[in-house]
Amino acid sequence: MTLNKFNLPDVGEGLTEAEIVSWKVKAGDAVAINDVLCEIETAKSIVELPSPFAGTVSELLVPEGVTIDVGTAIISVSDEVAGDPTPADTRAPERPVQPLYGKLSESDGGTTDSAAVTDSSLAGGPLVGSGPKADAVKRRPRRTAPALGTLTVNAPEVEPVQPHTPAEVSAEAKSAAASPASEPVDNRPTFGGAITGLVNKVLAKPPVRKIARDLGIDLADVVATGSRGEVTREDLVSYQAQRDAELDKADGFWGKAGKPQDQRIERIPVKGVRKATAKAMVDSAFAAPHVSIFVDVDASRTMEFVKRLKASRDFEGIRVSPLLILAKAVIWAAARNPSVNATWVDTAEGAAEIHVKHYMNLGIAAATPRGLMVPNIKNAQDLSLKELALALNNLATTARTGKTQPAEMQDGTLTVTNIGALGIDTGTPIINPGEVAIVAFGTIKQKPWVLDGEVIPRWITTLGGSFDHRVVDGDLSARFMADVAAILEEPALLLD
């Protein structure tokens, strides 16, 4: 029997650590190559790690909720399948025990690199985070339920029964209320006959489980409204709002003055996306000398243009907002002022270079449940208005559901942040590291505006731009912002 240890790989470019969010297997489970072992959270996204080995899980080496460095061993897998002492590589030659992630650990006595694998099915195998989902490959047969004495906290997830509807939950609540006080109703699963504790496992996607765990919510207490009976993010929001309302009635936000001090302070660990964002913002603020300028814009014609797009058959089913016109305006203005789409680079020789990009990877700052993310639209300069609208829709949906991948947040060249979506007029944004410009888009409001000598109501917004003054001087930043404003004032210029 050979014991293979799987080390935490770098699932992005240059990531140094990750947190084990949840294990999908436990000791004794049989796993096949590409079966999902666990879910990890990096500084950029949540990623599923598929198994590079086939065999039986010997030990989980890192508990859930712990952040570890890349290269740390997280799980050991023997090459024997549970219940069969025959090594997997001799019993099933079509599934040789070879890693998909580079070298075997030294403890295995192996130094074979993945490039040396000659089996075509493995040589072209997917890498971590980019391979097919676990349900896209042949899964191992479902094992029969274990005896009561073998149940563990980390029991594998199985398909649940249909969850209770709101009406059923209400009926159960009324029944419980009618029960005598001396005989409280215990709604916890029992283990008489069938293993109902496993059958009634609540169905929810990993990001939803992560949010529930962070909020201290038991998914079994939440009414599921998903199409397949799963608990959704909206269900958590509704449950949390109801729970907060009940707490407010009891103690209020500030709590009771008589409580111990440590119970009156909420401690939130800084990790994952928030930790990475904090470091990046500090590095940017102190490495790049920021200069900010602002301009008020009459966006009335942009509002009319957006209204026409929404009514257009070509944009049917596509969400269209003024952000689409701003994104197109930024691309157009950067083509006229190329140095805003650049990077300041300190060379190894102690010199410096300015790298002007002849492509636009347009970053869109997005507030998500996991913190601020800046995914970018690759080669945005090549997209039509409709294609750009679809890209923005996809970017927003992916970010909201927590599915943004590391590659989608790399190599950005210029960023837009839509603070107007939160009702904010303007602000001084911090430049995304590796870039030299960022544009903040404020809310669009009807305000009195002087037009042709008359004061009339118009749709007005304020743009705020921050620039790295080493690359973008006052004249260039002013011309760039004026060009962006010109498109918002007259979108027809895009047709020139």
Side-chain angles (χ1 to χ4, degrees), residues 106-139:
E106 293 182 1
S107 62
D108 302 325
T111 58
T112 303
D113 193 275
S114 59
V117 179
T118 57
D119 190 305
S120 61
S121 65
L122 291 179
L127 297 177
V128 176
S130 62
K133 295 292 184 183
D135 56 3
V137 297
K138 184 177 180 181
R139 300 302 300 266

Side-chain angles (χ1 to χ4, degrees), residues 88-100:
D89 56 348
T90 58
R91 186 188 66 259
E94 70 279 8
R95 274 190 168 173
V97 181
Q98 291 283 1
L100 296 181

Side-chain angles (χ1 to χ4, degrees), residues 48 77 127 307 379 478:
E48 291 180 340
V77 179
L127 297 177
K307 186 176 180 180
N379 295 309

Side-chain angles (χ1 to χ4, degrees), residues 5-183:
K5 289 187 177 180
F6 177 32
N7 298 335
L8 178 68
D10 177 3
V11 295
E13 293 185 5
L15 295 177
T16 60
E17 64 180 18
E19 175 191 345
I20 304 295
V21 175
S22 62
W23 282 105
K24 304 304 181 184
V25 296
K26 60 181 178 63
D29 282 354
V31 295
I33 292 176
N34 272 348
D35 278 358
V36 175
L37 296 177
C38 65
E39 186 180 68
I40 65 170
E41 180 178 10
T42 71
K44 296 183 177 181
S45 64
I46 291 181
V47 178
E48 291 180 340
L49 289 187
S51 175
F53 307 114
T56 301
V57 176
S58 298
E59 184 182 2
L60 306 182
L61 304 176
V62 179
E64 293 179 353
V66 174
T67 299
I68 55 174
D69 294 332
V70 168
T72 303
I74 61 174
I75 188 173
S76 59
V77 179
S78 70
D79 59 359
E80 288 186 354
V81 175
D84 186 348
T86 306
D89 56 348
T90 58
R91 186 188 66 259
E94 70 279 8
R95 274 190 168 173
V97 181
Q98 291 283 1
L100 296 181
Y101 304 96
K103 299 181 178 180
L104 294 170
S105 61
E106 293 182 1
S107 62
D108 302 325
T111 58
T112 303
D113 193 275
S114 59
V117 179
T118 57
D119 190 305
S120 61
S121 65
L122 291 179
L127 297 177
V128 176
S130 62
K133 295 292 184 183
D135 56 3
V137 297
K138 184 177 180 181
R139 300 302 300 266
R140 61 184 183 278
R142 185 185 301 279
R143 298 189 301 161
T144 57
L148 273 180
T150 63
L151 288 177
T152 65
V153 174
N154 293 321
E157 296 183 10
V158 298
E159 291 297 324
V161 296
Q162 183 67 25
H164 297 305
T165 64
E168 291 171 337
V169 172
S170 176
E172 290 180 3
K174 291 180 180 179
S175 175
S179 301
S182 60
E183 298 180 5

Side-chain angles (χ1 to χ4, degrees), residues 136-321:
V137 297
K138 184 177 180 181
R139 300 302 300 266
R140 61 184 183 278
R142 185 185 301 279
R143 298 189 301 161
T144 57
L148 273 180
T150 63
L151 288 177
T152 65
V153 174
N154 293 321
E157 296 183 10
V158 298
E159 291 297 324
V161 296
Q162 183 67 25
H164 297 305
T165 64
E168 291 171 337
V169 172
S170 176
E172 290 180 3
K174 291 180 180 179
S175 175
S179 301
S182 60
E183 298 180 5
V185 176
D186 187 356
N187 289 322
R188 294 175 298 176
T190 59
F191 298 94
I195 311 298
T196 57
L198 290 179
V199 176
N200 288 326
K201 183 74 173 180
V202 179
L203 182 63
K205 294 181 178 178
V208 175
R209 293 186 182 278
K210 174 70 164 56
I211 295 173
R213 184 164 55 251
D214 292 343
L215 295 176
I217 296 176
D218 185 350
L219 288 174
D221 296 336
V222 182
V223 177
T225 63
S227 59
R228 296 184 297 111
E230 75 274 15
V231 175
T232 66
R233 192 183 306 272
E234 290 72 21
D235 296 337
L236 290 183
V237 171
S238 177
Y239 179 86
Q240 179 70 7
Q242 181 180 359
R243 189 171 70 170
D244 288 346
E246 294 174 355
L247 290 175
D248 288 343
K249 291 179 181 179
D251 289 342
F253 171 78
W254 300 110
K256 293 183 178 180
K259 285 187 176 181
Q261 185 70 9
D262 59 350
Q263 295 183 20
R264 302 177 67 196
I265 299 175
E266 181 181 5
R267 291 173 172 81
I268 303 175
V270 178
K271 56 184 179 180
V273 171
R274 187 177 298 274
K275 180 180 179 181
T277 301
K279 184 180 185 302
M281 293 300 97
V282 170
D283 291 346
S284 175
F286 288 96
H290 283 54
V291 60
S292 299
I293 60 175
F294 308 91
V295 57
D296 291 332
V297 182
D298 179 359
S300 299
R301 289 183 178 175
T302 284
M303 298 298 283
E304 294 171 1
F305 187 43
V306 168
K307 186 176 180 180
R308 289 200 300 271
L309 290 178
K310 289 181 177 179
S312 169
R313 183 178 301 175
D314 288 342
F315 284 79
E316 184 177 357
I318 302 175
R319 185 178 184 275
V320 179
S321 73

